[in-house]
């Protein structure tokens, strides 16, 4: 079942249409509650700049404060408000203001996807062979009805959900082993960040 929409306004989408904010939101969803200082370890910006972006995300309802996550009241902890960003694409398409905001966000995402693939191809020669062999890039042109496309979307969403659970279990196991100095070697050496992208739409 598709999760309920949590984006309803053009202003929300315009807040999200920023590469740093997209990265921060993704990190909070992946890692759980963090402060700006923690997130600065993953994003090459000063904590003060990240705090600004975090407040913008909070103002649009994408993240919220998580004071219970830390014991130091001087630190401001944040967590993601939802597991994923969802909106009704057809609804946004029917309203000029929301359509423009949606187009801007998709343009940003398209640029990000292109940079991701370019970066991977440039670094592929330096990666371990097993990682190169395991990776994949594919596309297909299909002849489907709208109902069949919706069915394909549901299947891909379910598949994504299964592997999100695997990813979360890997992170939890690695974190637990890192915290146990007497335990076995950390799985961190075996785990790497993997970028997964799926798209399906009527070809214009």
């Amino acid at each position: 079942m598709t999760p309920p929409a949590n984006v309803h306004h053009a202003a929300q989408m315009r807040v999200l249409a920023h590469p740093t904010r997209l990265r921060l939101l993704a990190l909070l969803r992946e890692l759980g509650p963090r402060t700006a200082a923690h997130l600065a370890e993953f994003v090459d910006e000063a904590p003060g700049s990240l705090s600004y972006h975090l407040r913008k995300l909070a103002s649009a309802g994408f993240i919220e404060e998580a004071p219970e996550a830390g014991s130091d009241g001087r630190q401001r902890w944040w967590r993601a408000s939802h597991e994923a960003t969802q909106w009704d694409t057809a609804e946004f398409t029917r309203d000029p203001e929301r359509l423009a905001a949606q187009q801007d966000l998709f343009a940003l995402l398209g640029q990000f996807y292109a940079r991701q693939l370019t970066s991977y191809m440039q670094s592929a020669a330096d990666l371990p062979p097993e990682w190169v062999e395991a990776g994949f890039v594919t596309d297909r042109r299909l002849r489907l009805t709208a109902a069949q496309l919706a069915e394909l979307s549901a299947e891909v969403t379910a598949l994504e959900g299964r592997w999100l659970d695997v990813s979360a279990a890997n992170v939890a196991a690695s974190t637990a082993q890192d915290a146990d100095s007497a335990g076995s070697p950390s799985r961190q050496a075996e785990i790497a960040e993997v970028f997964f992208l799926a798209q399906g739409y009527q070809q214009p």
Side-chain angles (χ1 to χ4, degrees):
M1 181 179 295
T2 302
N6 47 54
V7 177
H8 303 280
H9 308 289
Q12 287 179 288
M13 195 162 283
R14 294 202 183 282
V15 165
L16 197 58
H18 189 288
T20 298
R21 293 171 199 160
L22 285 172
R23 178 61 174 155
L24 291 174
L25 181 56
L27 285 169
L28 288 174
R29 286 173 175 165
E30 176 189 357
L31 303 176
R34 291 292 189 275
T35 67
H38 294 145
L39 293 167
E41 299 176 11
F42 302 91
V43 182
D44 189 20
E45 290 191 35
S49 174
L50 297 185
S51 292
Y52 167 77
H53 290 302
L54 289 166
R55 290 194 300 271
K56 293 293 288 185
L57 286 169
S59 71
F62 294 111
I63 67 173
E64 57 196 21
E65 291 195 55
E68 74 285 352
S71 57
D72 188 344
R74 294 170 298 179
Q75 294 180 322
R76 200 171 190 180
W77 288 74
W78 300 95
R79 63 167 166 253
S81 300
H82 315 94
E83 292 185 0
T85 304
Q86 302 283 343
W87 69 89
D88 186 335
T89 304
E91 179 183 354
F92 270 69
T93 301
R94 292 190 292 268
D95 177 81
E97 183 181 3
R98 285 188 286 183
L99 173 60
Q102 182 174 246
Q103 290 172 334
D104 289 343
L105 179 58
F106 280 146
L108 176 68
L109 290 174
Q111 295 166 8
F112 171 74
Y113 297 154
R115 287 196 302 270
Q116 288 286 103
L117 180 57
T118 299
S119 177
Y120 166 67
M121 295 308 301
Q122 291 174 341
S123 65
D126 300 321
L127 294 175
E130 62 269 25
W131 280 100
V132 178
E133 292 169 3
F136 63 93
V137 177
T138 183
D139 65 85
R140 293 287 189 273
R141 288 180 180 267
L142 308 175
R143 296 285 181 172
L144 305 175
T145 66
Q148 289 167 339
L149 178 57
E151 183 179 355
L152 173 60
S153 174
E155 290 183 8
V156 172
T157 299
L159 180 66
E160 179 187 34
R162 182 166 75 87
W163 286 100
L164 282 171
D165 290 341
V166 172
S167 175
N170 284 341
V171 171
S174 176
T175 301
Q177 288 181 357
D178 286 345
D180 182 7
S181 59
S184 58
S186 172
R187 293 189 63 193
Q188 198 64 40
E190 303 174 9
I191 299 171
E193 184 173 342
V194 172
F195 182 69
F196 173 77
L197 169 67
Q199 297 178 326
Y201 48 83
Q202 182 181 2
Q203 184 66 52

